[in-house]
Amino acid sequence: IPIFILAGLLVHCVFLVSIFDIYFSSPLVHGMTPQQTPLPPPAKRLVLFVADGLRADSLFELNSDGTPQAPYLRGILENNGSWGISHTRVPTESRPGHVALIAGFYEDVSAVAKGWKENPVEFDSVFNESKYTWSWGSPDILPMFAKGATGDHVYTFCYAAESEDFGAQDASKLDIWVFDHVKNFFNSSRSNQTLFSALNEEKVVLFLHLLGIDTNGHAHRPNSREYKENIKKVDEGVKEIASMIDHFYGNDGKTAFILTSDHGMTDWGSHGAGHPSETLTPLVVWGAGINYPQKVTSQFYEDNFLKEWKLENLKRLDVNQADIAPLMASLIGVPFPLNSVGTLPLEYLNNSAHFKAESMFTNAVQILEQFKVKMSQKKENTLSFLFTPFKPLSDSEQINFLKKIRLCIQQQKYNEAVSLCKTLINLALEGLSYYHTYDRLFLGLSIAMSFVGWTTYVILVIIKTHTNLTRTVPTNNKKTTVLFYGFAFAGMIIAFFLLIQTCPWTYYVYCLLPVPVWYAVVREIPVIQALATHVLSLRIGRSIGFLLVCILGIEILVFSFFYRSALTVGLLVFAGWPVITQLWVQAKARALIWTLLCVLLAVFPLMPVVGREPNIPLVIAAGLLTLLISCFSLASLCGSKNKYTKVYFYQMLSIALSTYVVSSTHDSLKNKLGLPVLNQIISWMTLVSSPVLLLLSPTFLFQRLFSILLSLMSTYLLLSTGYEALFPLVLFGLMFVWINMEQEALQHYGLSLKPKLTVFNFAYAVDITQFRQLHLDDVRRSFFFVFFIVTAFFGTGNIASINSFDPASVYCFLTVFSPFMMGGLLVLKVVIPFVLVSCAFEAVQVTTQLSSKSLFLIVLVISDIMALHFFFLVKDYGSWLDIGTSISHYVLVMSLTIFMMLMNGLAQLLTTRRLELPRRTKHHST
């Protein structure tokens, strides 16, 4: 079995990683030549303000008294410049947002997985193409553009990372820091001749990254007074910087200004997914080369924003976020970033038709260059008779297009040239996508074949080793040898085929994986024959009925990933289980408690997602309720003379402390006093000490499970902000009754005698001789486990969406922004209900005299069938919310499977191991 588990882990890791290779590999290519507009640009310098986390509606909407949120910027878009909404893409995080703005391409999902701070891929940017760039702001964003730049012309000035504190008095000080440093920089340049002459060069970029709005949004929500005050401060700062720069350059009219944002923010203060509040960001552009406001009588947009913002009469010019990079490049006359896929938004430009046509032509050639490189790469790596080129842009078509556009520009048919350029850009982008996804079908089929093969193999292993169906199946060694050579030959042909095409090594893994998996399946042909004979001997109706119930159960699980309410339906069906199977006749009280707890747990998936509105009194109530239950349980479990009472007492003290810490931390943050150090120490100590206390408790079934609940609850309370604190309590109650109900089920089916649970000891439970063979009812047992695991995951909120991340959950531990530490704590919060379910499942396995392997294999089959569903549901097109959700669903199910293998081990450790403290008195046997 260990080899089997290792193989399983390996196969599942391949399945998990494959999706990123098949759907989300990096789209970047290298080796293009830079393209630059031949005409003189309108601006010598560009000032880019990025207000991190600023929503479009927060900037443009009016206050209740009709005054603008940002008076200076409102005045700009009404009198001096152009405006619109910039549409960002998922993931709406700071790093991908800035890459889209400054480099003009959308980072693929795999780059986000590599972290916020470094460059997972080398890319070109407007900063790199400029003569000099000076930037001020956050240490999370600025260094990545300096690191990617060639030569030494991108300068960064950052504050300390510790300043990004969600619990601080006022985050707008981050923006004031930036404005003050820019002013000092310009003042100091008057006495520094080198700097002064550098500032007076052409092709200069000044970048101000303003993080205060984002930090205030996370800490206080976007509808808060703090967030709105911060917008006012940014507005005043932009006004001061703009007038100071104009004054510095003697109002030469050669400065262009752009204000935008990298992403928005949901009403509950998070971002990352594709909700309109996250993807709609403001864009205000003014200064050299920019169009003045265009008055219109009517304009058509599907949303109602123009009316809400009282901007119906000013032309709104929407862009995609990556279009801002070519806009900046054409304003100061630098080459367009090599990997940019943005289309120049001509309506923003106040320039001659000739300039616009030339700029558009440069844009088209720059994107076509990427297409050519991508095509030649694919052509080199594919056998000539298998290569199917992208028809609409064959070599002759490309030459044709370029000739036509050149001719139109020479004949001064500028509008015609521009529309031809737009067609060429769209075709080149389509072609890029075509070559990028060239191998997708072939790789997808390989993985799907491995999936089906693996699941079949696991089913055969279950039948062979854990049932009586195949007692006497002969093995034919001759046939096995022939089979082995046959499959080895097939593998060699596939490898040779991949070798000729110089495919990356991962392709070998995906394409060769089906070979050993199907070899293992075909070797078990006698088992398949025995199974077929058995199934045919059964009543047809019964077999079909069983199959339908299985399919329905798995479909409900798949559905629950999209609609949490499916879990409610499932739990209500569970509530009726004792009635359907007549179990309630022999255990009325237990059946009643089971039904009540199922109904109670069914309420949680109907509640709104956690973190939208903190509700600390509920967390305190959960803490007190846990203490109350502990007192009753202690009295009934241990009696007064139990030597372990001390351990339970410490665990209860830990819960009381956690309840106090949550309450006082949130009060302190509300009053803007930051996170109290004592609270932080208690929180970290609780986190470290709770597993130790757990292992000191006795290994008797109920006593150990009770100790597990207390240990996990003390940490969970510290990570809770609302009703979810009650969730583990109800879940654990149900698990407790489940263990009892499974005993009744065993007796009901006459599978074994009922062991006395009160004296049952985990430490002595693993007696191999007592294991029984599998029964059909065990499939239901496994299904219950998978269902409870999914409920543990989605019960309090859909973590499948990145934007349900709420930093408030970790405020008892830290408030300074640290993505990996915060992420780790949030993962812990998600894992705690898992551990409760896994430990209960471990108890069910041992008390129903099953080897943990047999039930676990059934669980594996169920989750693999779910994963195959999601593999085919993965999208890389459509709305970005759909894409994000489809990836996270597949990753979740695959991680769940890998995770359940690990959880199985963890549950065994938590239930069977004990730490013995050295004692001076004689030892008592436990």
Side-chain angles (χ1 to χ4, degrees):
I1 283 284
I3 294 176
F4 179 77
I5 284 184
L6 274 177
L9 269 171
L10 200 67
V11 167
H12 282 91
C13 288
V14 171
F15 289 163
L16 178 56
V17 174
S18 70
I19 176 192
F20 290 107
D21 246 359
I22 296 175
Y23 290 96
F24 304 102
S25 50
S26 173
L28 296 193
V29 284
H30 299 288
M32 291 78 66
T33 45
Q35 302 296 323
Q36 189 172 347
T37 310
L39 301 174
K44 280 186 174 179
R45 64 203 77 88
L46 175 105
V47 185
L48 172 66
F49 301 95
V50 176
D52 203 303
L54 175 62
R55 289 161 50 150
D57 56 349
S58 300
L59 180 70
F60 293 135
E61 71 188 2
L62 301 173
N63 291 320
S64 48
D65 57 359
T67 55
Q69 292 275 12
Y72 174 70
L73 289 167
R74 182 77 176 200
I76 291 284
L77 66 91
E78 284 177 354
N79 308 311
N80 304 45
S82 295
W83 75 285
I85 289 177
S86 158
H87 296 263
T88 73
R89 284 201 191 174
V90 167
T92 43
E93 297 290 348
S94 293
R95 185 205 150 83
H98 281 89
V99 170
L101 284 171
I102 297 160
F105 70 92
Y106 302 103
E107 266 190 316
D108 57 296
V109 181
S110 56
V112 178
K114 292 175 187 156
W116 274 259
K117 300 188 185 185
E118 83 232 54
N119 282 9
V121 282
E122 286 306 313
F123 58 82
D124 187 24
S125 69
V126 174
F127 295 176
N128 188 31
E129 297 291 356
S130 68
K131 184 132 192 197
Y132 295 106
T133 292
W134 286 276
S135 54
W136 295 264
S138 158
D140 293 340
I141 295 299
L142 304 188
M144 71 179 183
F145 292 105
K147 202 193 272 184
T150 48
D152 186 20
H153 65 278
V154 177
Y155 303 100
T156 59
F157 305 93
C158 308
Y159 36 76
E162 290 72 46
S163 310
E164 298 173 28
D165 188 344
F166 295 137
Q169 291 173 340
D170 187 12
S172 62
K173 66 175 191 286
L174 299 175
D175 299 343
I176 290 163
W177 185 99
V178 170
F179 294 134
D180 288 348
H181 275 71
V182 175
K183 288 175 202 164
N184 295 342
F185 174 77
F186 273 92
N187 289 336
S188 69
S189 74
R190 295 182 192 278
S191 55
N192 178 339
Q193 194 50 50
T194 325
L195 181 56
F196 187 79
S197 58
L199 277 169
N200 279 289
E201 292 276 1
E202 293 183 349
K203 301 178 182 176
V204 166
V205 177
L206 304 165
F207 170 42
L208 285 72
H209 176 240
L210 310 166
L211 188 67
I213 294 178
D214 184 66
T215 312
N216 265 324
H218 283 307
H220 305 287
R221 313 282 185 264
N223 293 320
S224 62
R225 184 179 56 79
E226 289 85 352
Y227 186 85
K228 289 176 177 169
E229 286 292 318
N230 204 153
I231 294 176
K232 280 206 166 54
K233 284 182 181 163
V234 165
D235 185 58
E236 287 158 16
V238 169
K239 180 182 178 180
E240 286 172 21
I241 297 294
S243 76
M244 180 203 71
I245 287 176
D246 282 340
H247 178 67
F248 181 87
Y249 289 108
N251 293 323
D252 64 354
K254 287 286 178 188
T255 313
F257 296 91
I258 293 181
L259 178 129
T260 185
S261 167
D262 53 349
H263 55 75
M265 191 172 277
T266 57
D267 288 343
W268 53 95
S270 65
H271 51 83
H275 190 271
S277 60
E278 297 162 273
T279 58
L280 301 182
T281 59
L283 176 62
V284 182
V285 192
W286 70 102
I290 299 297
N291 252 333
Y292 286 102
Q294 301 167 54
K295 298 278 191 287
V296 286
T297 47
S298 68
Q299 43 186 336
F300 177 71
Y301 280 98
E302 282 179 3
D303 50 52
N304 265 340
F305 294 140
L306 290 167
K307 210 172 193 176
E308 288 168 25
W309 302 338
K310 305 272 189 296
L311 288 170
E312 303 101 318
N313 300 329
L314 289 174
K315 190 162 189 187
R316 165 179 154 189
L317 309 167
D318 282 16
V319 298
N320 289 321
Q321 196 171 37
D323 300 343
I324 296 173
L327 175 64
M328 295 195 286
S330 81
L331 284 173
I332 53 171
V334 298
F336 286 35
L338 292 175
N339 296 108
S340 165
V341 293
T343 308
L344 179 64
L346 290 179
E347 291 179 292
Y348 276 88
L349 296 179
N350 178 14
N351 216 315
S352 66
H354 183 202
F355 179 84
K356 289 182 181 178
E358 283 288 2
S359 300
M360 208 65 197
F361 183 54
T362 308
N363 194 180
V365 172
Q366 170 258 326
I367 292 177
L368 187 65
E369 278 285 312
Q370 294 179 68
F371 168 79
K372 285 180 179 169
V373 172
K374 195 88 173 171
M375 182 173 81
S376 63
Q377 280 179 1
K378 204 67 258 120
K379 207 169 184 174
E380 280 166 24
N381 293 350
T382 313
L383 294 172
S384 53
F385 65 90
L386 288 175
F387 180 71
T388 41
F390 181 64
K391 297 273 187 334
L393 268 189
S394 59
D395 293 349
S396 57
E397 277 293 320
Q398 291 176 34
I399 295 165
N400 204 3
F401 257 113
L402 297 175
K403 270 186 185 165
K404 266 189 195 165
I405 297 170
R406 262 278 145 250
L407 191 66
C408 287
I409 292 176
Q410 280 163 6
Q411 295 173 348
Q412 299 187 359
K413 295 179 183 169
Y414 299 128
N415 289 346
E416 206 175 308
V418 165
S419 70
L420 278 170
C421 288
K422 284 183 177 168
T423 314
L424 180 57
I425 287 174
N426 291 334
L427 283 174
L429 289 173
E430 263 177 54
L432 269 173
S433 164
Y434 170 80
Y435 286 119
H436 186 55
T437 60
Y438 194 79
D439 297 328
R440 179 170 301 171
L441 182 69
F442 154 66
L443 292 176
L445 283 173
S446 293
I447 292 293
M449 277 177 70
S450 306
F451 245 121
V452 175
W454 169 257
T455 311
T456 313
Y457 179 62
V458 177
I459 293 172
L460 294 176
V461 168
I462 294 170
I463 289 164
K464 189 177 173 184
T465 51
H466 299 287
T467 64
N468 299 327
L469 278 186
T470 55
R471 276 195 203 120
T472 51
V473 172
T475 50
N476 188 334
N477 288 337
K478 255 188 184 173
K479 267 188 181 174
T480 315
T481 319
V482 173
L483 271 177
F484 176 76
Y485 285 124
F487 274 93
F489 182 64
M492 282 161 70
I493 287 178
I494 294 171
F496 176 68
F497 184 71
L498 293 172
L499 192 68
I500 296 175
Q501 305 202 61
T502 57
C503 291
W505 66 271
T506 47
Y507 281 33
Y508 287 85
V509 178
Y510 304 144
C511 299
L512 290 173
L513 187 62
V515 178
V517 170
W518 279 100
Y519 169 65
V521 171
V522 176
R523 268 184 64 184
E524 304 295 349
I525 276 190
V527 183
I528 300 173
Q529 287 166 343
L531 175 66
T533 327
H534 177 71
V535 170
L536 290 173
S537 69
L538 292 173
R539 291 206 309 276
I540 292 280
R542 189 178 170 190
S543 306
I544 291 176
F546 177 69
L547 203 64
L548 283 176
V549 169
C550 288
I551 291 170
L552 184 71
I554 288 174
E555 289 307 318
I556 282 186
L557 283 175
V558 169
F559 219 64
S560 69
F561 276 70
F562 297 98
Y563 307 99
R564 282 166 62 215
S565 49
L567 292 172
T568 303
V569 175
L571 284 165
L572 292 176
V573 173
F574 281 11
W577 166 58
V579 181
I580 299 164
T581 54
Q582 300 292 305
L583 271 178
W584 68 281
V585 178
Q586 69 196 57
K588 288 194 172 62
R590 280 177 186 175
L592 186 66
I593 297 172
W594 164 268
T595 305
L596 277 175
L597 283 170
C598 277
V599 172
L600 203 55
L601 194 63
V603 175
F604 283 94
L606 298 176
M607 307 276 269
V609 173
V610 161
R612 304 286 160 100
E613 285 304 322
N615 188 340
I616 302 305
L618 271 179
V619 182
I620 297 167
L624 297 175
L625 188 62
T626 312
L627 287 174
L628 193 68
I629 293 169
S630 311
C631 295
F632 282 117
S633 308
L634 260 185
S636 63
L637 278 180
C638 307
S640 55
K641 291 182 182 172
N642 194 310
K643 61 174 177 168
Y644 296 108
T645 316
K646 224 182 231 175
V647 175
Y648 294 122
F649 175 71
Y650 285 132
Q651 287 186 307
M652 284 165 68
L653 182 69
S654 172
I655 284 194
L657 272 175
S658 295
T659 313
Y660 161 75
V661 167
V662 168
S663 166
S664 77
T665 300
H666 282 269
D667 282 348
S668 169
L669 292 177
K670 209 180 230 172
N671 301 327
K672 300 200 174 167
L673 299 172
L675 167 61
V677 179
L678 180 67
N679 289 10
Q680 196 172 10
I681 293 169
I682 294 175
S683 298
W684 285 105
M685 281 178 67
T686 305
L687 182 68
V688 175
S689 65
S690 50
V692 179
L693 283 172
L694 186 166
L695 292 172
L696 290 171
S697 66
T699 50
F700 289 106
L701 184 93
F702 288 146
Q703 294 178 19
R704 175 49 72 98
L705 286 176
F706 172 58
S707 177
I708 289 172
L709 172 71
L710 291 186
S711 265
L712 296 177
M713 238 355 238
S714 57
T715 309
Y716 197 81
L717 284 170
L718 291 170
L719 292 165
S720 298
T721 58
Y723 71 86
E724 82 268 29
L726 295 162
F727 180 70
L729 277 179
V730 180
L731 183 69
F732 184 76
L734 186 61
M735 295 298 97
F736 209 72
V737 183
W738 182 35
I739 297 167
N740 284 296
M741 288 297 286
E742 288 298 358
Q743 290 309 307
E744 303 294 345
L746 266 191
Q747 229 182 341
H748 183 70
Y749 288 108
L751 292 176
S752 83
L753 293 169
K754 188 173 163 188
K756 290 192 84 173
L757 288 184
T758 39
V759 293
F760 193 91
N761 193 328
F762 276 120
Y764 308 130
V766 196
D767 182 358
I768 302 295
T769 53
Q770 291 185 345
F771 288 152
R772 59 183 177 79
Q773 296 289 35
L774 283 173
H775 177 265
L776 265 186
D777 194 44
D778 295 321
V779 176
R780 176 204 48 80
R781 251 176 217 112
S782 306
F783 177 75
F784 270 29
F785 172 60
V786 179
F787 192 91
F788 287 137
I789 280 277
V790 174
T791 307
F793 197 84
F794 288 117
T796 60
N798 185 349
I799 321 270
S801 167
I802 322 169
N803 71 13
S804 47
F805 160 73
D806 178 23
S809 299
V810 299
Y811 285 170
C812 290
F813 293 91
L814 74 163
T815 55
V816 175
F817 180 65
S818 163
F820 296 107
M821 185 73 83
M822 288 180 163
L825 287 165
L826 280 160
V827 167
L828 178 69
K829 182 179 177 180
V830 174
V831 165
I832 286 174
F834 273 15
V835 178
L836 286 177
V837 177
S838 297
C839 291
F841 187 54
E842 182 64 22
V844 166
Q845 285 173 357
V846 242
T847 55
T848 55
Q849 293 160 344
L850 271 175
S851 83
S852 57
K853 303 288 176 293
S854 55
L855 273 193
F856 183 71
L857 289 176
I858 304 179
V859 167
L860 201 59
V861 171
I862 296 173
S863 52
D864 276 346
I865 295 172
M866 282 167 65
L868 190 57
H869 264 77
F870 287 117
F871 182 77
F872 288 113
L873 289 172
V874 170
K875 290 180 177 174
D876 68 336
Y877 57 89
S879 94
W880 273 84
L881 181 60
D882 295 348
I883 296 172
T885 315
S886 71
I887 303 163
S888 48
H889 282 168
Y890 178 70
V891 171
L892 277 176
V893 182
M894 286 317 303
S895 318
L896 271 183
T897 315
I898 296 170
F899 203 63
M900 283 194 274
M901 295 182 184
L902 302 173
M903 277 292 145
N904 202 23
L906 181 65
Q908 278 180 359
L909 175 88
L910 291 182
T911 50
T912 55
R913 292 280 173 268
R914 260 204 70 221
L915 290 177
E916 285 284 359
L917 288 181
R919 306 174 73 98
R920 276 174 297 219
T921 54
K922 63 186 170 89
H923 285 276
H924 298 280
S925 60
T926 53

